[in-house]
Amino acid sequence: MREKQAEDYCWLVGPEPAAQVAHPEKEMALVDGEMVPAEEALTEIALKVIQAKKPVLVVPARIILFSWEEDAPAKARALRELAEAMGAEIRPIFDVRPQYPIARTAVEINPFHGDLVIAHENYDVVVFYGVECLYADVALKIISQGTKCYTIALCGKIGHVDASITLRDTGIERVKKLTEIIRTMRQGD
């Protein structure tokens, strides 16, 4: 039996990092991998959605369809105004967390897959708002690697580095501000 020699062993670098860039800092955003002020990112988002041929706004169903949260009606109105200003469809994402111990398999195991809809409907710009971070991270990764769709994530937490543009700490006031920027730019055309 041959003894293994040192050169037979190949050192491999450990697992790839989950993301090549860091999350944006407070009051900052990532635009195509570059850290920029949040205000500049809002203008860039407005330009992208205005130039889009077929934009879509992806939001949680619990905000737009159901009044599960105390401030859901106000958020739903603001998101509908944003979609109208964008000229976009709204695609609700249903809560994907199964309720144990009994899971309703038709709803919870096989939920609506935003990434598949985006690929098949040929959207060119997608804006995620309020989608649960774990689901958004996976969907954004699939969309960015499997389609030519430009991805924008308006996150209420730390942002999503797999999106082409990610804005952190995005509350409803920032959504309203984005809506006004889009309307102002459209009126200037």
Side-chain angles (χ1 to χ4, degrees), residues 29 31 34-45:
V31 177
E34 182 181 332
M35 195 86 63
V36 299
E39 297 301 316
E40 185 179 325
L42 286 172
T43 303
E44 187 64 30
I45 292 167

Short mmCIF file of all heavy atoms in Angstrom, two decimals, residues 29 31 34-45:
data_model
loop_
_atom_site.label_atom_id
_atom_site.label_comp_id
_atom_site.label_asym_id
_atom_site.label_seq_id
_atom_site.Cartn_x
_atom_site.Cartn_y
_atom_site.Cartn_z
N ALA A 29 -26.56 53.30 2.38
CA ALA A 29 -27.17 52.25 1.57
C ALA A 29 -26.09 51.68 0.66
O ALA A 29 -25.02 52.28 0.47
CB ALA A 29 -28.30 52.83 0.72
N VAL A 31 -25.41 50.67 -3.17
CA VAL A 31 -25.87 50.80 -4.55
C VAL A 31 -24.82 50.13 -5.42
O VAL A 31 -23.70 50.62 -5.54
CB VAL A 31 -26.07 52.28 -4.96
CG1 VAL A 31 -26.46 52.38 -6.42
CG2 VAL A 31 -27.11 52.94 -4.07
N GLU A 34 -21.51 49.68 -3.70
CA GLU A 34 -20.83 50.86 -3.20
C GLU A 34 -21.67 51.51 -2.09
O GLU A 34 -22.87 51.69 -2.23
CB GLU A 34 -20.64 51.87 -4.34
CG GLU A 34 -19.90 53.11 -3.95
CD GLU A 34 -19.77 54.08 -5.12
OE1 GLU A 34 -19.75 53.62 -6.27
OE2 GLU A 34 -19.71 55.29 -4.85
N MET A 35 -21.03 51.86 -0.98
CA MET A 35 -21.71 52.51 0.14
C MET A 35 -21.96 53.98 -0.20
O MET A 35 -21.04 54.71 -0.53
CB MET A 35 -20.84 52.40 1.39
CG MET A 35 -21.55 52.70 2.67
SD MET A 35 -22.39 51.30 3.40
CE MET A 35 -21.09 50.18 3.79
N VAL A 36 -23.24 54.39 -0.14
CA VAL A 36 -23.63 55.76 -0.45
C VAL A 36 -24.61 56.24 0.62
O VAL A 36 -25.25 55.43 1.29
CB VAL A 36 -24.27 55.89 -1.86
CG1 VAL A 36 -23.31 55.45 -2.94
CG2 VAL A 36 -25.57 55.12 -1.93
N PRO A 37 -24.79 57.57 0.76
CA PRO A 37 -25.80 58.07 1.70
C PRO A 37 -27.20 57.62 1.28
O PRO A 37 -27.50 57.46 0.09
CB PRO A 37 -25.66 59.59 1.59
CG PRO A 37 -24.30 59.83 1.04
CD PRO A 37 -24.00 58.66 0.16
N ALA A 38 -28.07 57.44 2.27
CA ALA A 38 -29.44 56.96 2.01
C ALA A 38 -30.20 57.87 1.06
O ALA A 38 -30.95 57.38 0.20
CB ALA A 38 -30.19 56.81 3.33
N GLU A 39 -30.00 59.17 1.16
CA GLU A 39 -30.70 60.12 0.28
C GLU A 39 -30.30 59.90 -1.18
O GLU A 39 -31.14 59.96 -2.08
CB GLU A 39 -30.40 61.55 0.71
CG GLU A 39 -30.88 61.90 2.10
CD GLU A 39 -32.39 61.71 2.26
OE1 GLU A 39 -33.15 62.12 1.37
OE2 GLU A 39 -32.80 61.15 3.29
N GLU A 40 -29.03 59.66 -1.41
CA GLU A 40 -28.55 59.39 -2.77
C GLU A 40 -29.15 58.08 -3.30
O GLU A 40 -29.51 57.98 -4.47
CB GLU A 40 -27.02 59.32 -2.76
CG GLU A 40 -26.39 59.18 -4.13
CD GLU A 40 -24.87 59.15 -4.06
OE1 GLU A 40 -24.29 59.85 -3.19
OE2 GLU A 40 -24.27 58.44 -4.87
N ALA A 41 -29.27 57.10 -2.43
CA ALA A 41 -29.85 55.81 -2.82
C ALA A 41 -31.31 55.97 -3.20
O ALA A 41 -31.78 55.33 -4.15
CB ALA A 41 -29.69 54.80 -1.70
N LEU A 42 -32.06 56.80 -2.47
CA LEU A 42 -33.46 57.04 -2.81
C LEU A 42 -33.60 57.60 -4.22
O LEU A 42 -34.47 57.19 -5.00
CB LEU A 42 -34.12 57.98 -1.79
CG LEU A 42 -34.42 57.39 -0.42
CD1 LEU A 42 -34.87 58.48 0.55
CD2 LEU A 42 -35.46 56.30 -0.52
N THR A 43 -32.72 58.52 -4.58
CA THR A 43 -32.74 59.10 -5.93
C THR A 43 -32.40 58.03 -6.96
O THR A 43 -33.04 57.95 -8.02
CB THR A 43 -31.74 60.27 -6.02
OG1 THR A 43 -32.07 61.23 -5.02
CG2 THR A 43 -31.75 60.91 -7.38
N GLU A 44 -31.43 57.19 -6.67
CA GLU A 44 -31.04 56.11 -7.59
C GLU A 44 -32.18 55.10 -7.75
O GLU A 44 -32.46 54.63 -8.86
CB GLU A 44 -29.78 55.42 -7.08
CG GLU A 44 -29.19 54.41 -8.04
CD GLU A 44 -28.69 55.00 -9.35
OE1 GLU A 44 -28.27 56.18 -9.37
OE2 GLU A 44 -28.74 54.28 -10.37
N ILE A 45 -32.86 54.78 -6.66
CA ILE A 45 -34.01 53.87 -6.73
C ILE A 45 -35.09 54.47 -7.61
O ILE A 45 -35.66 53.80 -8.47
CB ILE A 45 -34.56 53.57 -5.32
CG1 ILE A 45 -33.55 52.73 -4.52
CG2 ILE A 45 -35.90 52.85 -5.39
CD1 ILE A 45 -33.86 52.64 -3.03
#
